């Protein structure tokens, strides 16, 4: 568990902070896709007029409840599968193809785990387009779905579509991340080697100058004799 604490903590903090920007974007996207508003500008104007800033954070709680577990599960699963693959292969780094496969597997697992939260989040964000009475909140939405839509299966509506979207997206993300990380590490290593070579050359040059002829008496120059006089 300890080796996974770093990826887990980092992903949780990053996902929670990103919701400050991603929730308004998600609200606008969902309402434009479902045809509630005809344009981006109209959506912003009407939400601001009707609800003020809080209108852009409709579904805040379920969005955070989905994003944080999803990102945490994705990165933690990737870290665990990466460590297992490296132990099995004896290599220091994953190959790009391995990163793609492990990244897709991690995203599919995380999407499956968080799909019920995603469904509730989408319902709350788009209920303005429905003629049905609005949900009072997360709990009311979940209980209503259980009672009226066939039980737990309703919470996995759209799972296949989400996997088709999230799987390739995160596979690409992890594949590019590994490739770019390797390129940056190689570039940093080459720069360090060049700097070390330049430093060695400078040290050798200083050593040659210090050991040069100017640092010793010239051949044939006058030097003190045994009796204190000077001789040539």
């Amino acid at each position: 568990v300890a080796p996974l604490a770093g990826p887990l903590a980092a992903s949780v903090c990053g996902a929670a902070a990103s919701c400050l920007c991603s929730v308004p974007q998600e609200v606008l996207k969902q309402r434009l896709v479902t045809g509630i508003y005809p344009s981006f500008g109209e959506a912003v104007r009407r939400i601001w007029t009707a609800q003020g800033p809080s209108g852009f954070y409709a579904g805040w709680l379920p969005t955070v409840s989905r994003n944080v577990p999803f990102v945490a599960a994705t990165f933690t699963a990737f870290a665990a599968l990466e460590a297992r693959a490296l132990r099995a292969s004896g290599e220091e780094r994953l190959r790009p193809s391995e990163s793609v496969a492990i990244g897709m597997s991690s995203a599919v697992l995380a999407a499956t785990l968080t799909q019920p939260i995603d469904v509730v989040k989408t319902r709350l964000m788009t209920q303005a387009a429905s003629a049905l009475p609005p949900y009072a909140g997360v709990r009311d939405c979940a209980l209503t779905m259980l009672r009226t839509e066939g039980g737990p299966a309703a919470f996995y509506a759209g799972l296949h579509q989400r996997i088709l979207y999230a799987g390739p997206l995160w596979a690409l993300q992890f594949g590019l991340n590994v490739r770019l990380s390797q390129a940056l590490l190689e570039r940093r290593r080459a720069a360090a080697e060049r700097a070390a070579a330049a430093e060695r050359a400078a040290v050798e040059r200083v050593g040659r100058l210090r050991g040069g002829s100017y640092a010793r008496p010239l051949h044939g120059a006058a030097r003190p004799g045994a009796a204190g006089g000077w001789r040539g």
Side-chain angles (χ1 to χ4, degrees), residues 19-186:
C19 287
L20 293 172
C21 297
S22 64
V23 171
Q25 176 266 333
E26 187 76 7
V27 169
L28 292 168
K29 182 195 75 172
Q30 295 284 357
R31 296 188 183 183
L32 288 170
V33 167
T34 54
I36 298 176
Y37 303 119
S39 67
F40 176 82
E42 182 69 11
V44 172
R45 186 186 66 80
R46 289 172 60 178
I47 293 174
W48 182 271
T49 301
Q51 299 172 283
S54 63
F56 295 98
Y57 288 90
W60 162 267
L61 178 60
T63 302
V64 173
S65 300
R66 179 206 64 175
N67 285 6
V68 171
F70 175 80
V71 174
T74 300
F75 278 93
T76 305
F78 183 89
L81 293 173
E82 178 187 34
R84 183 176 180 180
L86 293 177
R87 283 197 304 269
S89 66
E91 300 290 337
E92 293 183 359
R93 292 191 295 266
L94 293 176
R95 295 190 296 271
S97 59
E98 293 174 324
S99 300
V100 168
I102 293 176
M104 181 175 290
S105 301
S106 302
V108 168
L109 172 63
T112 303
L113 292 174
T114 60
Q115 182 63 13
I117 306 172
D118 185 64
V119 170
V120 172
K121 181 268 303 179
T122 303
R123 295 290 185 92
L124 291 173
M125 285 184 170
T126 59
Q127 62 181 333
S130 174
L132 298 174
Y135 300 115
V138 173
R139 184 172 181 274
D140 180 53
C141 178
L143 292 176
T144 301
M145 289 176 63
L146 280 173
R147 288 196 308 266
T148 63
E149 298 183 33
F155 294 95
Y156 287 90
L159 176 60
H160 294 163
Q161 292 85 343
R162 188 174 177 217
I163 287 175
L164 289 175
Y165 156 76
L169 174 66
W170 284 87
L172 180 64
Q173 190 272 336
F174 281 114
L176 288 176
N177 178 68
V178 169
R179 178 64 64 87
L180 291 175
S181 296
Q182 291 176 356
L184 290 174
L185 287 173
E186 290 297 333

